[in-house]
Structure formats: C-alpha cells, structure tokens
C-alpha cells in the first residue's frame, strides 16, 4: 500500500485548491497518507484509525473556516495562528455596517457583536447564517457555495427555492441584502408562467445576469413550485436507489444465514426493513433496553461524526419526507454497497471505485465533493483501504462507545 499513497492526491480532487488554504486541507491529506502508510495499518487497522480519529485528527470548526476566509480577504500580515479573535470580529462588524446588512434574517434582541463572536466560535451554523454572512462580507456566489458544501457539508444553492435563487443572483451581481428583500417582494407579486418542460435547472445552465431574466425564471419557477423535481428530490431519488441496492445486498446476506433464513424463507429486497438495514450497517453500535441504538452522546466520536448514525428512525423519517437527505446518508449507503460488492478486491481499487461513484452522486445532488477535512468522510475512506471495510467500520463504532463509558 505504501508506495501507492502518492496517488491519493486530495489537493487536486477535494476541497480548496488554493495556496492560501492555511493548511486545513493539506494537513488532513498529508496525515491521511501517513496513517494509511503505517506498517501497523495492515495488521491493526481499526486501532490505528480509531487512534487517529480520537487522538490526532484536527477538528476544523465553522469558526475556523470563517476566520481563514476573512484572513485571506483582509490580507492580514501576521501569522494566521496569532491573529486575535477581536480582529475578525471588528472586520465583520465594520463590513456589516458598510453593506447595511441586518444582524439576522429573523427578529432577535441579541447584539450583532455577540452574534459575531458566536459565529467565530461555532462548530457549525444554520444555512441562513451563511447566506447572511454572504451579504455582510460581500461574498461571491462561489464563496457562499464553498461554505454551503464544504463547511456546512450541505447541498449547494437550491435553484428550486426562490429565496436561494435570489440570493445567488445578488451574490453573482454583488447586490446587497436590501436588493434581495426587494426581489423577494417582487417574487411575491409575480404571476406564475407555466414551463414548457420539467427539466431541472441549476446554476450550470442558467444565465441570470439581469433582473429581467431573474424575474422570468422566478415566474416559471412559481408555476411549478409544487413540482417534486428539485435539487432535494434528486437527492431523495439517489437515496432511494442506493437504499434499494443496499437492501438487495442485505437480502443476499440473510439468504445465506441459517438463523435468518429459518427454513425455506426467501429473502428479497422488498422484505428488508429499515430495522434490518440498521442491524447490518450499525452492528457495532450497542443497543439499549428498549432495542434502540444507544444515544450518540455516549460515543466519544460524537463530535467527529456530527451526531449522525444510520438508524432505522433516520431512514424512516427520510422515506416519509420528515428529514431531508444529507450527504451523510448517500456516502454511508455507497460505502456499504462498495464494501460488500468489492470485499475481495484490492483495497486501493475499491477505494478509487468508491470515490468515482460517490463524487458523481454528490455532484448530481449539488452537494460538493468528498472533503478529507470532514472526520466522517476521512473515516470511511480509511476503512475502504483495509481488508474488511465494514468490519473495521463496525469495530470503530464499537470502540467509540466502549471508550465513552470509561
């Protein structure tokens, strides 16, 4: 494995490619290569990965990303690590005043200075906070897109959401928050215009460089606002496809398991329930007396994995549209599928195949590429380079709860 690590070039395939990266991505990529190149990785893979995640991996917060962005934009001269938070706070406060951006999109009695300090210290923030910062800091549409997909790890601009279309237009044309509010009022008064086709439009094939073109698009969007075709439903379709594929694999596993087969029972994908999916994918997570997965807070990797597990409740809520599909869901399912269908393949080939497949899926869903700085995504990539990815995946989950109980 060691002599193949030079091919794991995350700087070219993942995240910010600029020299002014301030080492978040490059440090993560370098440490990834070092860990999977260790002599002990092949024999003690789960222990090595767990140790790296819990003891060594750098957790990069939203606040850190925001500071890095401001550091670059403001062309600060002192070393990045030596800039006090007050400098960033004052830059944000001054910029919000200059751009006449409100302190919140919703009524609040909290002072802007307190909100700014909170943003600079937060591990994560809500989507609307990124949009607000986009106006307050005069971000470009590309800047905001990076924060949505790589920092929040959510989908890119939703071009079937009128507010997000308006925000994108304003960032692209450098119009401020007041212009966005005026455009929202104009949208409210638009007469819907029926669209000639059901093609999903996204920024890649839109040319909204004038207000006239924007309002024309919004009028067409308003006519099909209830149409299920959207960025989010694209993610739902991908989720449904991957979930069915996973169920087919699980049905095959059950069919060859004497305890599950129970005589002449024939397992099919249709017979696999969300509980079955949880049982297989989350086999390393302990169960409580009620038969549910133990609380995420009991795991010492809770922060690393953003409080998410692929539980039956999560699956059921997504299928009933109570929860949106997130990149976590798609990445977990694709990891499971590849780990099973390529279980006997060369680890490096398995890893490359996974990256090819998931990058394409995430792109179709507007969710941005795999990001090595994200602990959960780094974790799955490391597992794929072991001899038994799913077994290592489960063992590390199990360890995280055992360590959390100590």
């Amino acid at each position: 494995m060691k002599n193949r690590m030079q091919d794991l070039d995350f700087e070219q395939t993942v995240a910010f490619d600029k020299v002014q990266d301030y080492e978040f991505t490059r440090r993560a990529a370098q440490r990834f290569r070092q860990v999977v190149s260790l002599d002990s990785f092949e024999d003690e893979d789960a222990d090595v990965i767990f140790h790296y995640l819990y003891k060594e991996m750098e957790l990069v917060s939203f606040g850190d990303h925001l500071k890095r962005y401001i550091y670059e934009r403001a062309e600060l001269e002192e070393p990045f690590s030596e800039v006090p938070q007050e400098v960033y706070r004052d830059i944000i406060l001054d910029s919000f005043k200059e751009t006449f951006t409100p302190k919140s999109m919703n009524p609040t009695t909290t002072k802007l200075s307190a909100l700014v300090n909170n943003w600079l210290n937060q591990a994560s923030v809500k989507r609307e906070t990124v949009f607000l910062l986009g106006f307050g800091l005069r971000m470009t549409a590309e800047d905001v897109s990076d924060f949505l997909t790589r920092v929040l790890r959510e989908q890119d601009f939703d071009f079937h959401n009128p507010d997000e279309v308006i925000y994108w237009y304003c960032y692209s044309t450098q119009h401020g928050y007041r212009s966005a509010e005026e455009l929202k009022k104009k949208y409210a008064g638009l007469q819907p215009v029926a669209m000639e086709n059901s093609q999903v439009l996204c920024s890649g094939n839109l040319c909204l460089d004038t207000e006239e073109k924007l309002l024309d698009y919004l009028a067409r969007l308003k006519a099909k606002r209830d149409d299920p075709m959207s960025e989010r439903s694209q993610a739902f379709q991908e989720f449904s496809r991957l979930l069915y594929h996973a169920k087919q694999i699980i049905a095959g596993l059950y069919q060859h398991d004497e305890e599950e087969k129970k005589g002449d029972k024939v397992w099919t994908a249709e017979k696999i329930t969300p509980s079955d999916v949880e049982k297989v994918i989350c086999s390393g997570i302990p169960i409580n007396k009620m038969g549910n997965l133990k609380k995420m807070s009991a795991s010492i990797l809770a922060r690393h994995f953003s409080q998410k597990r692929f539980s039956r409740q999560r699956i059921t809520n997504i299928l009933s549209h109570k929860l949106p599909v997130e990149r976590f869901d798609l990445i977990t399912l694709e990891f499971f599928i590849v780990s099973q269908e390529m279980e006997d393949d060369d680890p490096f080939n398995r890893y490359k195949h996974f990256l090819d497949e998931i990058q394409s899926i995430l792109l179709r869903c507007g969710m941005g590429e795999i990001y090595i700085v994200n602990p959960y995504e780094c974790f799955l990539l490391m597992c794929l380079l072991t001899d038994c990815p799913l077994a290592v995946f489960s063992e590390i989950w199990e360890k995280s709860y055992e360590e959390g109980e100590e």
Side-chain angles (χ1 to χ4, degrees):
M1 181 75 67
K2 190 176 297 185
N3 62 349
R4 303 166 80 174
M5 287 305 103
Q6 65 269 20
D7 293 327
L8 305 181
D9 190 359
F10 289 101
E11 287 91 343
Q12 291 185 13
T13 60
V14 181
F16 302 91
D17 296 327
K18 298 180 291 187
V19 173
Q20 300 93 334
D21 198 324
Y22 305 109
E23 305 310 314
F24 291 164
T25 305
R26 296 190 180 187
R27 276 203 302 270
Q30 182 183 45
R31 288 298 294 130
F32 179 95
R33 283 193 289 265
Q34 290 172 346
V35 171
V36 298
S37 298
L38 292 171
D39 292 334
S40 56
F41 185 79
E42 292 186 22
D43 298 324
E44 305 168 40
D45 41 26
D47 289 332
V48 170
I49 295 172
F50 180 80
H51 177 82
Y52 172 65
L53 290 172
Y54 184 51
K55 297 288 187 179
E56 298 180 11
M57 187 169 197
E58 179 181 18
L59 296 182
V60 184
S61 69
F62 173 84
D64 292 330
H65 281 289
L66 181 57
K67 290 172 186 175
R68 179 181 66 176
Y69 176 79
I70 296 170
Y71 182 89
E72 178 184 334
R73 281 281 303 276
E75 298 182 343
L76 300 178
E77 295 182 356
E78 55 263 67
F80 178 65
S81 61
E82 297 178 12
V83 180
Q85 181 162 306
E86 291 74 21
V87 172
Y88 296 113
R89 183 196 63 198
D90 292 344
I91 290 173
I92 296 175
L93 289 173
D94 289 344
S95 185
F96 266 62
K97 289 175 183 176
E98 290 173 7
T99 57
F100 300 100
T101 303
K103 59 186 178 181
S104 175
M105 289 186 175
N106 300 302
T108 179
T109 57
T110 307
K111 291 183 178 180
L112 178 58
S113 58
L115 290 170
V116 171
N117 278 327
N118 192 41
W119 297 336
L120 291 168
N121 289 314
Q122 283 293 304
S124 187
V125 297
K126 293 182 179 179
R127 191 174 178 88
E128 68 176 26
T129 299
V130 170
F131 292 133
L132 188 68
L133 283 165
F135 289 110
L137 297 178
R138 291 192 182 93
M139 290 186 184
T140 65
E142 290 76 17
D143 292 337
V144 177
S145 176
D146 274 338
F147 270 91
L148 292 174
T149 61
R150 292 172 179 160
V151 182
L152 294 193
R153 302 189 289 273
E154 293 185 3
Q155 75 173 61
D156 208 340
F157 287 97
D158 181 353
F159 280 84
H160 286 77
N161 180 318
D163 286 351
E164 295 196 17
V165 174
I166 289 169
Y167 296 156
W168 178 84
Y169 169 79
C170 289
Y171 302 137
S172 299
T173 56
Q174 286 297 286
H175 284 76
Y177 185 84
R178 289 183 177 179
S179 294
E181 288 297 291
E182 289 299 318
L183 287 169
K184 285 183 185 180
K185 292 177 183 177
K186 290 183 180 181
Y187 170 78
L190 286 176
Q191 289 298 316
V193 175
M195 295 186 75
E196 298 177 357
N197 59 62
S198 59
Q199 182 183 3
V200 179
L201 297 176
C202 62
S203 59
N205 55 15
L206 280 179
C207 180
L208 305 181
D209 54 358
T210 66
E211 184 174 318
E212 182 181 6
K213 292 178 182 177
L214 172 69
L215 293 175
D216 177 67
Y217 176 78
L218 289 173
R220 295 173 185 274
L221 177 61
K222 199 169 190 178
K224 56 176 292 185
R225 186 73 181 100
D226 296 327
D227 193 293
M229 296 296 287
S230 69
E231 292 283 335
R232 189 161 293 165
S233 70
Q234 176 66 33
F236 184 82
Q237 290 173 21
E238 296 288 348
F239 175 83
S240 300
R241 178 181 64 80
L242 292 172
L243 181 62
Y244 186 78
H245 194 164
K247 286 182 175 182
Q248 288 178 310
I249 292 172
I250 294 171
L253 295 174
Y254 279 11
Q255 198 61 37
H256 292 89
D257 187 309
E258 289 301 323
E259 184 177 339
E260 296 290 351
K261 191 175 180 181
K262 294 178 182 176
D264 297 327
K265 184 171 183 177
V266 177
W267 284 97
T268 62
E270 288 72 21
K271 293 180 181 178
I272 300 298
T273 66
S275 294
D276 293 313
V277 178
E278 175 192 275
K279 178 181 176 181
V280 174
I281 295 181
C282 299
S283 62
I285 301 175
I287 304 294
N288 62 23
K289 294 179 181 179
M290 301 298 291
N292 295 316
L293 300 179
K294 276 194 175 181
K295 290 183 178 180
M296 186 69 198
S297 57
S299 166
I300 61 172
L301 295 179
R303 281 186 64 207
H304 298 66
F305 296 164
S306 302
Q307 300 284 342
K308 294 186 180 72
R309 288 94 53 83
F310 205 63
S311 66
R312 63 180 185 273
Q313 292 90 345
R314 183 176 183 85
I315 297 168
T316 300
N317 284 334
I318 290 174
L319 292 175
S320 60
H321 301 284
K322 292 179 181 177
L323 275 180
V325 175
E326 297 184 25
R327 60 188 288 120
F328 163 85
D329 306 300
L330 301 176
I331 291 168
T332 301
L333 281 170
E334 181 63 25
F335 165 79
F336 172 71
I337 291 167
V338 171
S339 75
Q340 297 303 291
E341 294 196 330
M342 300 185 70
E343 186 175 12
D344 298 326
D345 282 50
D346 174 80
F348 188 77
N349 291 338
R350 183 199 303 132
Y351 161 91
K352 295 291 283 186
H353 177 79
F354 169 82
L355 268 185
D356 289 342
E357 290 293 312
I358 197 61
Q359 302 290 42
S360 178
I361 291 169
L362 294 174
L363 178 62
R364 289 197 295 273
C365 297
M367 291 183 176
E369 295 182 321
I370 286 287
Y371 190 23
I372 193 64
V373 178
N374 180 344
Y376 185 73
E377 295 176 28
C378 176
F379 164 50
L380 294 190
L381 291 175
M382 284 185 170
C383 288
L384 286 164
L385 287 168
T386 67
D387 290 333
C388 302
L390 188 62
V392 172
F393 174 86
S394 299
E395 187 176 345
I396 291 172
W397 270 111
E398 186 176 357
K399 282 177 177 289
S400 77
Y401 279 88
E402 290 173 351
E403 295 286 336
E405 293 173 355
E406 293 182 359

